[in-house]
C-alpha cells in the first residue's frame, strides 16, 4: 500500500476530537498486528463521557526487557480539529498541484501514514532494539491521551519523534501552555448610586492593567530561539455585569500564558497573585478568585542529542522551536529525548483546505525509515 493510499484511508475515518475514536484505533491496531506488533489499548473517559483510546504498539525484539525500555517511539495523534460542514471533501483525500487535501491530511495523519509506510518497508526482524508506535487520543483538546500514557507508563523510551506539521524541520524545544480563569467580585447597586456598590468590572480592569505590565516585564527574560522570544500572556475572553444600569457584581476573564523553557509554569501565576495582593492593599474589598485550569510544561531536548543530530542531518534543516503545544513533554516524562517533526505546515493546519505536500510526505517516509534503521538496528 502506498503512503497516499494509507493517508486516504486515515482521512476517510472521521476522528474529530469530539467523537469516539474507536474506528481509527481499530484500523491502526489491525495494521500494527499485521506487522507483528504487540498492541495495547489505554482508554480514558473524556469530559462528555465518551471513551477515548490511545494505542501502544510494541515491536518486541529478542530481549525480554523490551517492554520496559524502547529505543524509539513514533507518536502521532489520531484526533483532528472539527471541519466546516461546507467543506464537502473534508473526509475525501483530494490531490491537486502536488498537494493532498483533507481534514487531518496535514495535522497529523500525514505523519501516521508516513510511519506505517516506513515500518512496512523495513524487515522488522532485523531490528535489535525495540520500537514503539504510539497513537494518541484527544491531542487537540489538551494532549489528554498522551498525558494519560505518561501517567500509566506503559514503556520508557530513549528517543521519541512526535508527529506534528513542522515542514520536516526537527523542533527540539517548545513553549508551555497554561490557563487560568479569574473571577473578580464586586457589589451590585443601581448605577445612579454607584457609591452604594463596587464595580467588579472596574476592579477587573485594574487587574488587567497590571497583567499588561506583567506581560511587559516578562520580555526581560528572553530566549532568542523562540518567536516571540519571551513568555507571552493573553486575556482572550471577558464577561461581566448584568445590565447597563447596574453596577457590575461580577466579572470573569481567562488568562492564558505560554512559558519559555526554564521558567516554571507557576511563575506567571505567582506574579498575578502578587498583583492581586497589591490591589487588595489599596482596596480591602477587592475579592478575586483564580482557578488554574491548565499547566502544560514547556519542553527542551538538548541540542547535542543523537536524535536531534540525526534529524537535522536527514532533513538538512537546523533544529528549531515551536510555539504551539505538543505531546513532547509527555514523551520526556517517559524518559525520551523528544523531537517534534513531520510533514506539512502548521500554518495550514486547522483550516478548511489543510493539505500536505506530496514530496514532503514521501521524504518523511524515507527519513522515518532511516531513523528506525539508524536507532534500532
Ligand atoms: Zn497536531
Amino acid at each position: 500500500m502506498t503512503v497516499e493510499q494509507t493517508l486516504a484511508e486515515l482521512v476517510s475515518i472521521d476522528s474529530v476530537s469530539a467523537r469516539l475514536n474507536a474506528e481509527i484505533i481499530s484500523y491502526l491496531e489491525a495494521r500494527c498486528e499485521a506487522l507483528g506488533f504487540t498492541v495495547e489499548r489505554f482508554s480514558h473517559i473524556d469530559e462528555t463521557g465518551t471513551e477515548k483510546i490511545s494505542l501502544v504498539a510494541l515491536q518486541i525484539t529478542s530481549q525480554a526487557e523490551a517492554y520496559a525500555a524502547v529505543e524509539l517511539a513514533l507518536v502521532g495523534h489520531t484526533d483532528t480539529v472539527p471541519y466546516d460542514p461546507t467543506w464537502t471533501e473534508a473526509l475525501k483525500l483530494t490531490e491537486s498541484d502536488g498537494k493532498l487535501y483533507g481534514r487531518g491530511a496535514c495535522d497529523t495523519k500525514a505523519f501516521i501514514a508516513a510511519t506505517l509506510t516506513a515500518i512496512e518497508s523495513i524487515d522488522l526482524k532485523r531490528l535489535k532494539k525495540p520500537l514503539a508506535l504510539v497513537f494518541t487520543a484527544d491531542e487537540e483538546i489538551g494532549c489528554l491521551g498522551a498525558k494519560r500514557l505518561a501517567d500509566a507508563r506503559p514503556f520508557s523510551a530513549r528517543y521519541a519523534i512526535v508527529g506534528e506539521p513542522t515542514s520536516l524541520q526537527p523542533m527540539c524545544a517548545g513553549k508551555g501552555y497554561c490557563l487560568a480563569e479569574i473571577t473578580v467580585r464586586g457589589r451590585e447597586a443601581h448605577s445612579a448610586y454607584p457609591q452604594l456598590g463596587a464595580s467588579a468590572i472596574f476592579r477587573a480592569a485594574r487587574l488587567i492593567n497590571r497583567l499588561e505590565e506583567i506581560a511587559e516585564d516578562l520580555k526581560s527574560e528572553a530566549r532568542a530561539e523562540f518567536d516571540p522570544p519571551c513568555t507571552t500572556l493573553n486575556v482572550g475572553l471577558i464577561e461581566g455585569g448584568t445590565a447597563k444600569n447596574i453596577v457590575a457584581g461580577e466579572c470573569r476573564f481567562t488568562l492564558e500564558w505560554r512559558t519559555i523553557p526554564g521558567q516554571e509554569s507557576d511563575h506567571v501565576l505567582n506574579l498575578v497573585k502578587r498583583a492581586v495582593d497589591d490591589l487588595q492593599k489599596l482596596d480591602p474589598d477587592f475579592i478575586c478568585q483564580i482557578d488554574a485550569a491548565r499547566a502544560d510544561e514547556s519542553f527542551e531536548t538538548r541540542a547535542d542529542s543523537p536524535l536531534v543530530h540525526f534529524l537535522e542531518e536527514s532533513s538538512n534543516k537546523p533544529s528549531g522551536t515551536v510555539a504551539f503545544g505538543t505531546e513532547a513533554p509527555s514523551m520526556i516524562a517517559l524518559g525520551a529525548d523528544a523531537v517534534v517533526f513531520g510533514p506539512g505546515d502548521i500554518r495550514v493546519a486547522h483550516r478548511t483546505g489543510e493539505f500536505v505536500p506530496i514530496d514532503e510526505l514521501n521524504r518523511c517516509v524515507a527519513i522515518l525509515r532511516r531513523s528506525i534503521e539508524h536507532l534500532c538496528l
Side-chain angles (χ1 to χ4, degrees):
M1 200 180 234
T2 67
V3 64
E4 290 180 35
Q5 285 167 336
T6 296
L7 181 55
E9 290 193 352
L10 289 168
V11 167
S12 73
I13 303 171
D14 190 348
S15 59
V16 168
S17 309
R19 295 167 54 95
L20 280 169
N21 72 334
E23 189 183 352
I24 192 163
I25 290 293
S26 297
Y27 173 89
L28 294 167
E29 196 170 48
R31 291 283 296 259
C32 292
E33 281 180 329
L35 290 162
F37 279 82
T38 304
V39 297
E40 195 176 348
R41 291 178 172 217
F42 295 84
S43 56
H44 68 268
I45 306 295
D46 74 9
E47 59 182 12
T48 66
T50 308
E51 187 192 26
K52 297 295 180 57
I53 306 159
S54 296
L55 189 74
V56 174
L58 293 169
Q59 174 64 26
I60 309 301
T61 60
S62 49
Q63 298 136 325
E65 67 274 19
Y67 268 107
V70 306
E71 188 71 8
L72 174 65
L74 301 174
V75 186
H77 62 83
T78 61
D79 61 319
T80 69
V81 291
Y83 52 89
D84 193 307
T86 59
W87 185 14
T88 52
E89 294 192 316
L91 303 179
K92 186 176 177 295
L93 193 71
T94 312
E95 184 183 339
S96 170
D97 232 4
K99 297 168 188 153
L100 297 168
Y101 293 81
R103 174 52 83 225
C106 168
D107 186 7
T108 244
K109 291 178 175 179
F111 178 85
I112 296 178
T115 298
L116 292 173
T117 310
I119 302 276
E120 282 168 352
S121 70
I122 293 170
D123 178 5
L124 293 171
K125 290 193 196 73
R126 286 167 55 227
L127 300 186
K128 295 190 183 67
K129 297 175 193 165
L131 170 71
L133 308 184
V134 183
F135 302 116
T136 58
D138 285 351
E139 189 272 350
E140 297 290 0
I141 53 174
C143 302
L144 305 181
K147 287 178 187 166
R148 299 299 165 99
L149 284 180
D151 290 341
R153 307 194 68 80
F155 61 85
S156 67
R158 188 187 300 265
Y159 303 111
I161 301 177
V162 176
E164 281 295 332
T166 69
S167 303
L168 299 182
Q169 181 184 11
M171 302 298 195
C172 62
K175 286 185 176 180
Y177 181 88
C178 306
L179 181 70
E181 283 169 27
I182 299 182
T183 306
V184 179
R185 300 236 154 70
R187 208 170 50 253
E188 285 195 340
H190 192 297
S191 62
Y193 309 98
Q195 74 280 10
L196 300 177
S199 169
I201 290 178
F202 283 153
R203 284 177 173 167
R206 289 201 287 274
L207 179 54
I208 291 169
N209 270 337
R210 297 295 297 266
L211 296 179
E212 204 175 359
E213 287 168 19
I214 290 172
E216 266 316 295
D217 292 346
L218 288 168
K219 288 179 183 167
S220 64
E221 201 178 328
R223 292 280 307 262
E225 63 274 38
F226 282 94
D227 176 28
C230 56
T231 295
T232 57
L233 57 80
N234 182 46
V235 176
L237 291 168
I238 185 164
E239 61 173 2
T242 50
K244 65 181 188 305
N245 53 2
I246 298 175
V247 173
E250 191 177 278
C251 183
R252 295 168 300 280
F253 60 90
T254 59
L255 174 64
E256 181 203 64
W257 64 103
R258 295 167 190 265
T259 52
I260 50 174
Q263 195 174 70
E264 295 298 324
S265 54
D266 59 3
H267 175 63
V268 169
L269 206 52
N270 291 333
L271 294 176
V272 175
K273 285 176 181 163
R274 206 180 303 158
V276 170
D277 288 346
D278 289 348
L279 290 170
Q280 267 166 350
K281 279 180 200 136
L282 301 169
D283 172 8
D285 283 343
F286 189 100
I287 298 170
C288 169
Q289 187 180 325
I290 303 172
D291 296 310
R294 212 165 131 186
D296 294 355
E297 294 293 334
S298 56
F299 86 94
E300 187 163 34
T301 291
R302 60 202 167 90
D304 64 350
S305 163
L307 179 63
V308 177
H309 273 305
F310 184 80
L311 289 174
E312 284 181 328
E313 209 175 274
S314 309
S315 65
N316 205 17
K317 288 182 178 179
S319 60
T321 63
V322 288
F324 55 92
T326 70
E327 296 169 313
S330 296
M331 293 303 117
I332 287 173
L334 291 172
D337 286 2
V339 175
V340 179
F341 178 82
D345 187 333
I346 193 69
R347 286 167 295 189
V348 306
H350 294 203
R351 75 176 197 200
T352 293
E354 73 167 282
F355 65 83
V356 64
I358 296 173
D359 67 320
E360 272 184 33
L361 182 62
N362 288 323
R363 269 181 17 241
C364 187
V365 175
I367 292 171
L368 291 180
R369 181 171 55 230
R370 287 180 50 208
S371 303
I372 296 163
E373 290 177 343
H374 178 71
L375 295 168
C376 296
L377 265 183

